[in-house]
Amino acid sequence: MLVLGIETSCDETAAAVLKDGTFLRSNVIASQDEIHSPFGGIVPELAGRSHVERIHLIIKKALKDAGAQLSDIDLIAATEGPGLVVSLLVGLNTAKALAYSLRIPVIGVNHLEGHVLAIFLQQKVAFPFLALIVSGGHTDLCRVNGFGKYQILGRTRDDAAGESFDKVAKMLGFGFPGGPVVEKKARQGNPQAQAFPRAWLEKDSLDFSFSGLKTSVRNTLHKRDNGNGSACSDEDIAAGFQEAVVDVLVQKALSACRQESLKRIVVTGGVAANGYLRDRMTETARKEGIEVFFPKPILCTDNAAMIACAGYYRSKHCQPSASDPFSLDAHPNLPF
Ligand code: KG4
Ligand code: ZN
């Protein structure tokens, strides 16, 4: 079974071809970083316009790389939400039009389900497991009992982890997206030079909060730049900030495993590409006999392979949400 995956929920235009849910025949991702970088964040109208300009070229390239024709495709899977409505509509309408003309089914995929199932492109993970989804828009802890069987245990009450990386990078003048550059700068800094707060919230809470940490970084920078604070470097601030985010992500994930008696964690989403998080999570969980799985970095950040994968499993294990191409619609706040 050949699935064409299409992902345009935010600022990546992506298409992929997946055979039998396992063999990734192509995975094409066009980033819009250059377009949004001058603004220090994503400008929805520019994202939507860029998707329109590129989507057909990206699908063509995905088919070419896979050595396939449109007529070989059995199923199209496209992200229906959550995300930016102007972005989602481009991928979804393209998928609907293609499916209609080819007389094949189209499936709407929840972007977060795509992130969780990205790991299945590399290896099978036995159910149940804990998924920590850490991206630019989400920080969720989710119990995964099977395909299509998800139970949210905790989520951020304000900023997402990736969003806090992006905002701190902007304050430090590092550019956009912030995650990779904060990680790089943090390697040259001392995480102990400046202490930043961790929001643990109520006892046993599995929710997150990163807005206080962001404010603390802003205040530290303000004091330092006015000569009233410690003389820590930008690199020290990046390291101290990253340390605080990673501490909370690791401790809350382990706490969720204890509360739910889970022995496996899948960490996914753009922030899961962070090498320091990968090392700390793996090392700390090992001490508690918990196995940790990460998709490779290219499958952590937004891609269409994960959407094709989720579409494949949805078609095998779940009731189709809509098999009529015309009934699918974009849902910017689609719940998980
Ligand atoms: O999953 P993703 O590509 O898009 C969303 O669904 O949001 O995640 C993007 C987020 C951005 O906030 C970006 O700064 C962050 O992931 N990110 C990272 C790293 N690479 C990407 N954060 C920390 N360290 C990284 N290496
Ligand atoms: Zn994402």
Side-chain angles (χ1 to χ4, degrees):
M1 182 187 200
L2 218 51
V3 181
L4 171 67
I6 299 177
E7 153 65 32
T8 62
S9 67
C10 193
D11 63 334
E12 260 92 26
T13 317
V17 175
L18 181 67
K19 188 171 178 341
D20 298 334
T22 308
F23 306 105
L24 189 55
R25 301 255 297 252
S26 64
N27 188 24
V28 181
I29 306 166
S31 152
Q32 299 179 2
D33 288 352
E34 273 178 28
I35 295 171
H36 303 289
S37 185
F39 304 96
I42 295 158
V43 183
E45 286 74 11
L46 297 182
R49 191 178 305 176
S50 173
H51 286 311
V52 171
E53 285 165 3
R54 296 178 186 185
I55 186 74
H56 292 291
L57 298 173
I58 298 302
I59 291 173
K60 260 192 187 167
K61 176 147 175 42
L63 289 166
K64 187 163 175 259
D65 288 0
Q69 313 269 333
L70 262 183
S71 54
D72 299 328
I73 301 295
D74 299 300
L75 169 73
I76 302 183
T79 309
E80 61 176 333
L84 301 170
V85 71
V86 286
S87 292
L88 289 166
L89 280 170
V90 179
L92 203 59
N93 283 330
T94 306
K96 284 162 71 174
L98 282 175
Y100 183 70
S101 67
L102 295 166
R103 305 272 190 274
I104 58 172
V106 58
I107 284 190
V109 170
N110 187 309
H111 182 79
L112 299 173
E113 182 175 26
H115 274 306
V116 170
L117 297 186
I119 191 69
F120 285 82
L121 293 162
Q122 286 173 204
Q123 64 191 115
K124 300 255 184 300
V125 180
F127 300 114
F129 59 80
L130 179 81
L132 169 62
I133 310 166
V134 266
S135 71
H138 293 267
T139 307
D140 294 338
L141 281 168
C142 174
R143 184 185 167 102
V144 181
N145 290 316
F147 294 112
K149 294 180 183 150
Y150 311 110
Q151 182 193 350
I152 291 287
L153 305 172
R155 54 167 43 122
T156 184
R157 295 183 185 174
D158 41 57
D159 293 348
E163 189 182 358
S164 70
F165 269 92
D166 293 335
K167 287 180 176 166
V168 164
K170 190 172 179 183
M171 287 177 216
L172 289 163
F174 288 168
F176 176 85
V181 57
V182 169
E183 178 182 6
K184 192 163 156 236
K185 296 278 184 184
R187 271 189 233 122
Q188 298 143 28
N190 170 11
Q192 262 72 55
Q194 177 69 44
F196 289 112
R198 279 92 169 130
W200 300 112
L201 307 174
E202 307 80 28
K203 186 175 177 298
D204 293 335
S205 171
L206 297 177
D207 281 349
F208 299 90
S209 167
F210 295 108
S211 67
L213 171 59
K214 174 189 68 187
T215 307
S216 174
V217 171
R218 180 176 290 125
N219 292 342
T220 302
L221 271 172
H222 186 74
K223 278 195 208 149
R224 183 196 71 177
D225 296 345
N226 288 301
N228 303 325
S230 70
C232 53
S233 66
D234 287 355
E235 286 77 8
D236 292 339
I237 291 175
F241 159 78
Q242 180 178 260
E243 187 79 19
V245 175
V246 168
D247 267 355
V248 174
L249 294 177
V250 170
Q251 291 311 324
K252 296 250 175 191
L254 291 179
S255 174
C257 283
R258 277 181 229 117
Q259 289 180 35
E260 294 285 316
S261 306
L262 294 170
K263 286 286 170 202
R264 288 168 293 277
I265 306 177
V266 170
V267 189
T268 185
V271 182
N274 184 287
Y276 186 62
L277 171 63
R278 292 168 92 95
D279 291 347
R280 281 277 308 280
M281 187 71 86
T282 307
E283 196 184 300
T284 319
R286 195 190 305 124
K287 291 182 191 148
E288 300 202 17
I290 292 168
E291 233 182 324
V292 186
F293 304 85
F294 296 93
K296 51 188 175 184
I298 193 71
L299 298 175
C300 283
T301 45
D302 287 351
N303 65 85
M306 68 184 195
I307 302 303
C309 183
Y312 171 83
Y313 284 108
R314 192 148 273 280
S315 76
K316 293 272 165 218
H317 297 276
C318 311
Q319 287 291 333
S321 54
S323 51
D324 167 12
F326 288 113
S327 62
L328 269 179
D329 203 358
H331 297 286
N333 300 314
L334 187 67
F336 188 38

Short mmCIF file of all heavy atoms in Angstrom, two decimals, residues 21-83:
data_model
loop_
_atom_site.label_atom_id
_atom_site.label_comp_id
_atom_site.label_asym_id
_atom_site.label_seq_id
_atom_site.Cartn_x
_atom_site.Cartn_y
_atom_site.Cartn_z
N GLY A 21 3.44 1.33 5.39
CA GLY A 21 3.59 1.88 6.74
C GLY A 21 5.00 1.84 7.29
O GLY A 21 5.27 2.30 8.40
N THR A 22 5.93 1.28 6.53
CA THR A 22 7.28 1.03 7.06
C THR A 22 8.39 1.58 6.18
O THR A 22 9.35 2.14 6.68
CB THR A 22 7.50 -0.50 7.20
OG1 THR A 22 6.41 -1.03 7.94
CG2 THR A 22 8.79 -0.81 7.91
N PHE A 23 8.24 1.38 4.87
CA PHE A 23 9.35 1.74 3.98
C PHE A 23 9.17 3.16 3.46
O PHE A 23 8.28 3.42 2.66
CB PHE A 23 9.44 0.75 2.80
CG PHE A 23 9.54 -0.68 3.26
CD1 PHE A 23 8.44 -1.52 3.16
CD2 PHE A 23 10.71 -1.17 3.82
CE1 PHE A 23 8.51 -2.84 3.60
CE2 PHE A 23 10.79 -2.49 4.28
CZ PHE A 23 9.69 -3.33 4.17
N LEU A 24 10.03 4.04 3.94
CA LEU A 24 9.93 5.45 3.55
C LEU A 24 10.63 5.62 2.21
O LEU A 24 11.86 5.55 2.13
CB LEU A 24 10.57 6.32 4.64
CG LEU A 24 10.36 7.82 4.48
CD1 LEU A 24 8.88 8.17 4.39
CD2 LEU A 24 11.00 8.56 5.66
N ARG A 25 9.83 5.84 1.17
CA ARG A 25 10.40 5.92 -0.18
C ARG A 25 10.87 7.34 -0.49
O ARG A 25 11.75 7.55 -1.31
CB ARG A 25 9.38 5.45 -1.21
CG ARG A 25 8.92 3.99 -0.97
CD ARG A 25 9.53 3.04 -1.95
NE ARG A 25 9.11 3.35 -3.29
CZ ARG A 25 8.25 2.62 -4.01
NH1 ARG A 25 7.76 1.52 -3.50
NH2 ARG A 25 7.94 2.96 -5.22
N SER A 26 10.27 8.35 0.14
CA SER A 26 10.75 9.72 -0.05
C SER A 26 10.23 10.58 1.09
O SER A 26 9.23 10.25 1.74
CB SER A 26 10.29 10.30 -1.39
OG SER A 26 8.89 10.40 -1.41
N ASN A 27 10.95 11.68 1.37
CA ASN A 27 10.57 12.57 2.47
C ASN A 27 11.10 13.96 2.14
O ASN A 27 12.25 14.27 2.42
CB ASN A 27 11.19 12.04 3.78
CG ASN A 27 10.70 12.78 5.00
OD1 ASN A 27 9.62 13.37 4.97
ND2 ASN A 27 11.48 12.76 6.07
N VAL A 28 10.27 14.78 1.51
CA VAL A 28 10.72 16.09 1.02
C VAL A 28 10.17 17.18 1.94
O VAL A 28 8.97 17.21 2.24
CB VAL A 28 10.25 16.32 -0.44
CG1 VAL A 28 10.74 17.67 -0.95
CG2 VAL A 28 10.74 15.19 -1.34
N ILE A 29 11.05 18.07 2.40
CA ILE A 29 10.63 19.14 3.33
C ILE A 29 11.20 20.45 2.82
O ILE A 29 12.42 20.59 2.67
CB ILE A 29 11.17 18.88 4.76
CG1 ILE A 29 10.76 17.48 5.24
CG2 ILE A 29 10.68 19.96 5.73
CD1 ILE A 29 11.51 17.02 6.48
N ALA A 30 10.32 21.43 2.56
CA ALA A 30 10.79 22.77 2.18
C ALA A 30 10.55 23.68 3.38
O ALA A 30 9.41 23.91 3.78
CB ALA A 30 10.05 23.27 0.96
N SER A 31 11.65 24.17 3.96
CA SER A 31 11.53 25.04 5.12
C SER A 31 11.27 26.48 4.66
O SER A 31 11.69 26.88 3.59
CB SER A 31 12.84 24.96 5.90
OG SER A 31 13.05 26.15 6.59
N GLN A 32 10.56 27.24 5.50
CA GLN A 32 10.32 28.66 5.20
C GLN A 32 11.13 29.56 6.13
O GLN A 32 10.80 30.74 6.29
CB GLN A 32 8.83 28.98 5.35
CG GLN A 32 7.92 28.19 4.43
CD GLN A 32 6.45 28.54 4.64
OE1 GLN A 32 6.11 29.39 5.46
NE2 GLN A 32 5.58 27.85 3.94
N ASP A 33 12.15 29.01 6.77
CA ASP A 33 12.91 29.78 7.77
C ASP A 33 13.36 31.14 7.24
O ASP A 33 13.28 32.15 7.93
CB ASP A 33 14.15 28.99 8.25
CG ASP A 33 13.76 27.84 9.15
OD1 ASP A 33 12.56 27.76 9.51
OD2 ASP A 33 14.64 27.02 9.47
N GLU A 34 13.82 31.14 5.98
CA GLU A 34 14.33 32.40 5.40
C GLU A 34 13.24 33.47 5.30
O GLU A 34 13.50 34.66 5.45
CB GLU A 34 14.88 32.15 4.00
CG GLU A 34 16.33 31.72 4.01
CD GLU A 34 16.83 31.43 2.61
OE1 GLU A 34 16.32 32.01 1.65
OE2 GLU A 34 17.74 30.58 2.51
N ILE A 35 12.01 33.01 5.05
CA ILE A 35 10.89 33.95 4.88
C ILE A 35 10.52 34.59 6.23
O ILE A 35 10.25 35.79 6.32
CB ILE A 35 9.66 33.21 4.29
CG1 ILE A 35 9.99 32.71 2.89
CG2 ILE A 35 8.41 34.09 4.31
CD1 ILE A 35 8.94 31.78 2.29
N HIS A 36 10.51 33.77 7.30
CA HIS A 36 10.02 34.26 8.59
C HIS A 36 11.13 34.83 9.48
O HIS A 36 10.84 35.57 10.42
CB HIS A 36 9.28 33.13 9.32
CG HIS A 36 8.15 32.56 8.51
ND1 HIS A 36 7.00 33.27 8.28
CD2 HIS A 36 8.01 31.39 7.85
CE1 HIS A 36 6.18 32.54 7.52
NE2 HIS A 36 6.78 31.40 7.24
N SER A 37 12.35 34.45 9.18
CA SER A 37 13.48 34.87 10.03
C SER A 37 13.52 36.38 10.31
O SER A 37 13.72 36.79 11.46
CB SER A 37 14.77 34.38 9.39
OG SER A 37 15.82 34.65 10.23
N PRO A 38 13.31 37.24 9.30
CA PRO A 38 13.41 38.69 9.59
C PRO A 38 12.37 39.16 10.61
O PRO A 38 12.55 40.20 11.24
CB PRO A 38 13.12 39.35 8.23
CG PRO A 38 13.32 38.29 7.21
CD PRO A 38 13.08 36.98 7.87
N PHE A 39 11.31 38.38 10.78
CA PHE A 39 10.25 38.79 11.71
C PHE A 39 10.39 38.14 13.09
O PHE A 39 9.62 38.44 14.00
CB PHE A 39 8.87 38.43 11.12
CG PHE A 39 8.65 39.02 9.75
CD1 PHE A 39 8.90 38.28 8.61
CD2 PHE A 39 8.24 40.33 9.62
CE1 PHE A 39 8.73 38.82 7.34
CE2 PHE A 39 8.06 40.90 8.35
CZ PHE A 39 8.31 40.14 7.21
N GLY A 40 11.34 37.22 13.24
CA GLY A 40 11.56 36.57 14.54
C GLY A 40 10.43 35.64 14.92
O GLY A 40 10.31 35.25 16.09
N GLY A 41 9.59 35.26 13.99
CA GLY A 41 8.48 34.35 14.27
C GLY A 41 7.70 34.14 12.98
O GLY A 41 7.99 34.78 11.96
N ILE A 42 6.72 33.24 13.02
CA ILE A 42 6.00 32.89 11.79
C ILE A 42 4.90 33.90 11.49
O ILE A 42 4.10 34.23 12.36
CB ILE A 42 5.41 31.47 11.92
CG1 ILE A 42 6.57 30.46 12.01
CG2 ILE A 42 4.52 31.13 10.73
CD1 ILE A 42 6.20 29.17 12.63
N VAL A 43 4.89 34.39 10.24
CA VAL A 43 3.83 35.31 9.80
C VAL A 43 2.83 34.47 8.99
O VAL A 43 3.15 34.00 7.89
CB VAL A 43 4.40 36.44 8.90
CG1 VAL A 43 3.30 37.42 8.52
CG2 VAL A 43 5.54 37.16 9.62
N PRO A 44 1.63 34.21 9.53
CA PRO A 44 0.70 33.26 8.91
C PRO A 44 0.43 33.53 7.42
O PRO A 44 0.46 32.60 6.61
CB PRO A 44 -0.57 33.38 9.74
CG PRO A 44 -0.08 33.81 11.09
CD PRO A 44 1.09 34.71 10.82
N GLU A 45 0.19 34.77 7.04
CA GLU A 45 -0.15 35.05 5.64
C GLU A 45 1.01 34.66 4.71
O GLU A 45 0.79 34.13 3.62
CB GLU A 45 -0.49 36.55 5.43
CG GLU A 45 -1.84 36.96 5.98
CD GLU A 45 -1.88 37.06 7.50
OE1 GLU A 45 -0.80 36.99 8.14
OE2 GLU A 45 -2.98 37.17 8.05
N LEU A 46 2.23 34.94 5.15
CA LEU A 46 3.39 34.58 4.32
C LEU A 46 3.54 33.06 4.24
O LEU A 46 3.91 32.51 3.19
CB LEU A 46 4.67 35.20 4.88
CG LEU A 46 4.72 36.73 4.90
CD1 LEU A 46 6.06 37.22 5.44
CD2 LEU A 46 4.51 37.29 3.49
N ALA A 47 3.24 32.39 5.35
CA ALA A 47 3.33 30.92 5.37
C ALA A 47 2.34 30.34 4.37
O ALA A 47 2.70 29.50 3.53
CB ALA A 47 3.05 30.38 6.77
N GLY A 48 1.08 30.79 4.41
CA GLY A 48 0.05 30.28 3.51
C GLY A 48 0.42 30.50 2.06
O GLY A 48 0.32 29.59 1.22
N ARG A 49 0.91 31.70 1.75
CA ARG A 49 1.26 32.03 0.36
C ARG A 49 2.40 31.14 -0.14
O ARG A 49 2.37 30.63 -1.25
CB ARG A 49 1.67 33.50 0.29
CG ARG A 49 1.78 33.99 -1.13
CD ARG A 49 2.13 35.45 -1.20
NE ARG A 49 1.21 36.30 -0.46
CZ ARG A 49 1.36 37.61 -0.33
NH1 ARG A 49 2.40 38.20 -0.87
NH2 ARG A 49 0.50 38.33 0.34
N SER A 50 3.39 30.94 0.73
CA SER A 50 4.53 30.13 0.33
C SER A 50 4.11 28.66 0.10
O SER A 50 4.59 28.00 -0.83
CB SER A 50 5.62 30.23 1.39
OG SER A 50 6.64 29.34 1.11
N HIS A 51 3.20 28.15 0.94
CA HIS A 51 2.70 26.78 0.72
C HIS A 51 2.05 26.67 -0.66
O HIS A 51 2.27 25.70 -1.39
CB HIS A 51 1.65 26.41 1.79
CG HIS A 51 2.22 26.13 3.14
ND1 HIS A 51 3.28 25.28 3.35
CD2 HIS A 51 1.85 26.56 4.38
CE1 HIS A 51 3.55 25.21 4.65
NE2 HIS A 51 2.70 25.99 5.29
N VAL A 52 1.23 27.68 -1.01
CA VAL A 52 0.53 27.64 -2.31
C VAL A 52 1.56 27.58 -3.45
O VAL A 52 1.41 26.83 -4.41
CB VAL A 52 -0.38 28.89 -2.49
CG1 VAL A 52 -0.93 28.97 -3.91
CG2 VAL A 52 -1.52 28.86 -1.49
N GLU A 53 2.62 28.38 -3.32
CA GLU A 53 3.62 28.43 -4.39
C GLU A 53 4.39 27.10 -4.54
O GLU A 53 4.82 26.75 -5.62
CB GLU A 53 4.63 29.55 -4.11
CG GLU A 53 4.05 30.93 -4.39
CD GLU A 53 4.89 32.04 -3.77
OE1 GLU A 53 5.95 31.76 -3.16
OE2 GLU A 53 4.46 33.20 -3.87
N ARG A 54 4.56 26.39 -3.40
CA ARG A 54 5.48 25.24 -3.44
C ARG A 54 4.83 23.86 -3.44
O ARG A 54 5.49 22.88 -3.80
CB ARG A 54 6.40 25.29 -2.21
CG ARG A 54 7.29 26.48 -2.19
CD ARG A 54 8.09 26.44 -0.91
NE ARG A 54 8.88 27.64 -0.75
CZ ARG A 54 9.74 27.82 0.23
NH1 ARG A 54 9.91 26.90 1.14
NH2 ARG A 54 10.44 28.93 0.32
N ILE A 55 3.59 23.77 -2.97
CA ILE A 55 3.05 22.44 -2.67
C ILE A 55 3.13 21.46 -3.84
O ILE A 55 3.53 20.30 -3.68
CB ILE A 55 1.61 22.54 -2.09
CG1 ILE A 55 1.10 21.17 -1.63
CG2 ILE A 55 0.62 23.14 -3.06
CD1 ILE A 55 1.70 20.67 -0.38
N HIS A 56 2.82 21.94 -5.07
CA HIS A 56 2.82 21.00 -6.20
C HIS A 56 4.24 20.54 -6.54
O HIS A 56 4.45 19.37 -6.87
CB HIS A 56 2.15 21.65 -7.42
CG HIS A 56 0.68 21.84 -7.17
ND1 HIS A 56 -0.18 20.79 -7.09
CD2 HIS A 56 -0.05 22.95 -6.94
CE1 HIS A 56 -1.40 21.24 -6.83
NE2 HIS A 56 -1.34 22.56 -6.72
N LEU A 57 5.20 21.46 -6.42
CA LEU A 57 6.60 21.08 -6.70
C LEU A 57 7.09 20.05 -5.69
O LEU A 57 7.80 19.11 -6.02
CB LEU A 57 7.49 22.33 -6.63
CG LEU A 57 7.18 23.43 -7.64
CD1 LEU A 57 8.00 24.69 -7.36
CD2 LEU A 57 7.48 22.90 -9.05
N ILE A 58 6.69 20.26 -4.43
CA ILE A 58 7.14 19.35 -3.37
C ILE A 58 6.53 17.96 -3.55
O ILE A 58 7.21 16.94 -3.38
CB ILE A 58 6.76 19.95 -1.98
CG1 ILE A 58 7.48 21.29 -1.76
CG2 ILE A 58 7.07 18.99 -0.84
CD1 ILE A 58 8.98 21.23 -1.85
N ILE A 59 5.25 17.92 -3.92
CA ILE A 59 4.60 16.61 -4.16
C ILE A 59 5.26 15.93 -5.37
O ILE A 59 5.57 14.74 -5.32
CB ILE A 59 3.08 16.79 -4.38
CG1 ILE A 59 2.42 17.22 -3.07
CG2 ILE A 59 2.45 15.50 -4.91
CD1 ILE A 59 0.95 17.59 -3.17
N LYS A 60 5.52 16.71 -6.41
CA LYS A 60 6.18 16.14 -7.61
C LYS A 60 7.53 15.53 -7.24
O LYS A 60 7.89 14.45 -7.67
CB LYS A 60 6.41 17.25 -8.64
CG LYS A 60 5.40 17.26 -9.74
CD LYS A 60 5.88 18.20 -10.84
CE LYS A 60 4.80 18.37 -11.88
NZ LYS A 60 5.08 19.47 -12.77
N LYS A 61 8.28 16.28 -6.40
CA LYS A 61 9.62 15.79 -6.01
C LYS A 61 9.50 14.53 -5.15
O LYS A 61 10.28 13.59 -5.31
CB LYS A 61 10.39 16.90 -5.28
CG LYS A 61 11.74 16.44 -4.78
CD LYS A 61 12.77 17.54 -4.78
CE LYS A 61 14.11 17.13 -4.16
NZ LYS A 61 14.60 15.80 -4.51
N ALA A 62 8.52 14.51 -4.26
CA ALA A 62 8.33 13.33 -3.40
C ALA A 62 8.02 12.10 -4.26
O ALA A 62 8.54 11.00 -4.00
CB ALA A 62 7.22 13.58 -2.38
N LEU A 63 7.20 12.29 -5.29
CA LEU A 63 6.86 11.16 -6.18
C LEU A 63 8.10 10.73 -6.97
O LEU A 63 8.40 9.54 -7.09
CB LEU A 63 5.74 11.56 -7.14
CG LEU A 63 4.35 11.73 -6.49
CD1 LEU A 63 3.41 12.45 -7.43
CD2 LEU A 63 3.77 10.37 -6.09
N LYS A 64 8.84 11.72 -7.46
CA LYS A 64 10.04 11.41 -8.27
C LYS A 64 11.06 10.65 -7.42
O LYS A 64 11.59 9.63 -7.83
CB LYS A 64 10.62 12.73 -8.78
CG LYS A 64 11.76 12.55 -9.75
CD LYS A 64 12.02 13.83 -10.54
CE LYS A 64 13.23 13.68 -11.42
NZ LYS A 64 14.43 14.30 -10.88
N ASP A 65 11.33 11.18 -6.21
CA ASP A 65 12.31 10.52 -5.32
C ASP A 65 11.88 9.08 -5.01
O ASP A 65 12.71 8.21 -4.77
CB ASP A 65 12.44 11.28 -3.99
CG ASP A 65 13.17 12.60 -4.16
OD1 ASP A 65 13.56 12.92 -5.30
OD2 ASP A 65 13.34 13.32 -3.15
N ALA A 66 10.56 8.88 -4.94
CA ALA A 66 10.05 7.54 -4.59
C ALA A 66 9.99 6.62 -5.81
O ALA A 66 9.71 5.44 -5.68
CB ALA A 66 8.64 7.67 -3.99
N GLY A 67 10.25 7.19 -6.99
CA GLY A 67 10.13 6.40 -8.23
C GLY A 67 8.68 5.99 -8.48
O GLY A 67 8.40 4.90 -8.97
N ALA A 68 7.76 6.87 -8.10
CA ALA A 68 6.33 6.53 -8.22
C ALA A 68 5.60 7.57 -9.07
O ALA A 68 6.09 8.69 -9.27
CB ALA A 68 5.71 6.46 -6.83
N GLN A 69 4.45 7.17 -9.56
CA GLN A 69 3.55 8.07 -10.29
C GLN A 69 2.35 8.33 -9.38
O GLN A 69 2.04 7.51 -8.51
CB GLN A 69 2.99 7.37 -11.54
CG GLN A 69 4.00 6.65 -12.39
CD GLN A 69 4.54 7.57 -13.46
OE1 GLN A 69 3.85 8.50 -13.88
NE2 GLN A 69 5.76 7.34 -13.85
N LEU A 70 1.63 9.40 -9.68
CA LEU A 70 0.41 9.66 -8.90
C LEU A 70 -0.54 8.46 -8.97
O LEU A 70 -1.19 8.11 -7.99
CB LEU A 70 -0.30 10.89 -9.47
CG LEU A 70 -0.05 12.23 -8.76
CD1 LEU A 70 -0.89 13.31 -9.41
CD2 LEU A 70 -0.35 12.15 -7.26
N SER A 71 -0.57 7.82 -10.14
CA SER A 71 -1.52 6.70 -10.32
C SER A 71 -1.15 5.48 -9.46
O SER A 71 -1.96 4.57 -9.30
CB SER A 71 -1.59 6.31 -11.79
OG SER A 71 -0.28 6.06 -12.25
N ASP A 72 0.07 5.45 -8.89
CA ASP A 72 0.47 4.32 -8.01
C ASP A 72 -0.05 4.51 -6.59
O ASP A 72 -0.01 3.58 -5.78
CB ASP A 72 2.01 4.22 -7.92
CG ASP A 72 2.65 3.96 -9.27
OD1 ASP A 72 2.00 3.29 -10.10
OD2 ASP A 72 3.78 4.44 -9.49
N ILE A 73 -0.46 5.74 -6.24
CA ILE A 73 -0.83 6.05 -4.85
C ILE A 73 -2.20 5.43 -4.50
O ILE A 73 -3.15 5.55 -5.26
CB ILE A 73 -0.87 7.58 -4.62
CG1 ILE A 73 0.51 8.21 -4.93
CG2 ILE A 73 -1.32 7.94 -3.21
CD1 ILE A 73 1.64 7.80 -4.02
N ASP A 74 -2.25 4.78 -3.31
CA ASP A 74 -3.50 4.13 -2.88
C ASP A 74 -4.29 4.99 -1.91
O ASP A 74 -5.50 4.81 -1.76
CB ASP A 74 -3.17 2.81 -2.16
CG ASP A 74 -2.44 1.85 -3.07
OD1 ASP A 74 -3.01 1.49 -4.10
OD2 ASP A 74 -1.27 1.49 -2.76
N LEU A 75 -3.59 5.88 -1.18
CA LEU A 75 -4.25 6.66 -0.12
C LEU A 75 -3.49 7.97 0.05
O LEU A 75 -2.26 7.98 0.00
CB LEU A 75 -4.20 5.86 1.20
CG LEU A 75 -4.59 6.57 2.49
CD1 LEU A 75 -6.10 6.80 2.54
CD2 LEU A 75 -4.17 5.76 3.72
N ILE A 76 -4.21 9.05 0.30
CA ILE A 76 -3.55 10.33 0.61
C ILE A 76 -3.88 10.69 2.05
O ILE A 76 -5.05 10.60 2.47
CB ILE A 76 -3.99 11.46 -0.34
CG1 ILE A 76 -3.67 11.06 -1.79
CG2 ILE A 76 -3.28 12.77 0.01
CD1 ILE A 76 -3.98 12.12 -2.83
N ALA A 77 -2.86 11.04 2.82
CA ALA A 77 -3.06 11.47 4.21
C ALA A 77 -2.55 12.90 4.33
O ALA A 77 -1.43 13.20 3.92
CB ALA A 77 -2.27 10.56 5.16
N ALA A 78 -3.39 13.79 4.86
CA ALA A 78 -2.98 15.19 4.99
C ALA A 78 -3.34 15.70 6.38
O ALA A 78 -4.34 15.28 6.97
CB ALA A 78 -3.67 16.05 3.93
N THR A 79 -2.53 16.62 6.89
CA THR A 79 -2.79 17.18 8.23
C THR A 79 -4.06 18.04 8.20
O THR A 79 -4.17 18.95 7.38
CB THR A 79 -1.60 18.06 8.66
OG1 THR A 79 -0.41 17.29 8.49
CG2 THR A 79 -1.73 18.49 10.10
N GLU A 80 -4.99 17.73 9.12
CA GLU A 80 -6.23 18.55 9.17
C GLU A 80 -6.21 19.52 10.34
O GLU A 80 -7.06 20.40 10.46
CB GLU A 80 -7.47 17.66 9.22
CG GLU A 80 -7.57 16.74 10.41
CD GLU A 80 -8.89 15.95 10.44
OE1 GLU A 80 -9.89 16.43 9.89
OE2 GLU A 80 -8.87 14.85 11.04
N GLY A 81 -5.26 19.38 11.27
CA GLY A 81 -5.14 20.28 12.40
C GLY A 81 -4.33 19.60 13.49
O GLY A 81 -3.99 18.43 13.34
N PRO A 82 -3.97 20.24 14.57
CA PRO A 82 -4.07 21.69 14.75
C PRO A 82 -2.97 22.41 13.95
O PRO A 82 -2.01 21.78 13.53
CB PRO A 82 -3.86 21.87 16.26
CG PRO A 82 -3.04 20.68 16.68
CD PRO A 82 -3.39 19.57 15.74
N GLY A 83 -3.13 23.72 13.79
CA GLY A 83 -2.13 24.48 13.05
C GLY A 83 -2.72 25.80 12.60
O GLY A 83 -3.80 26.20 13.03
#
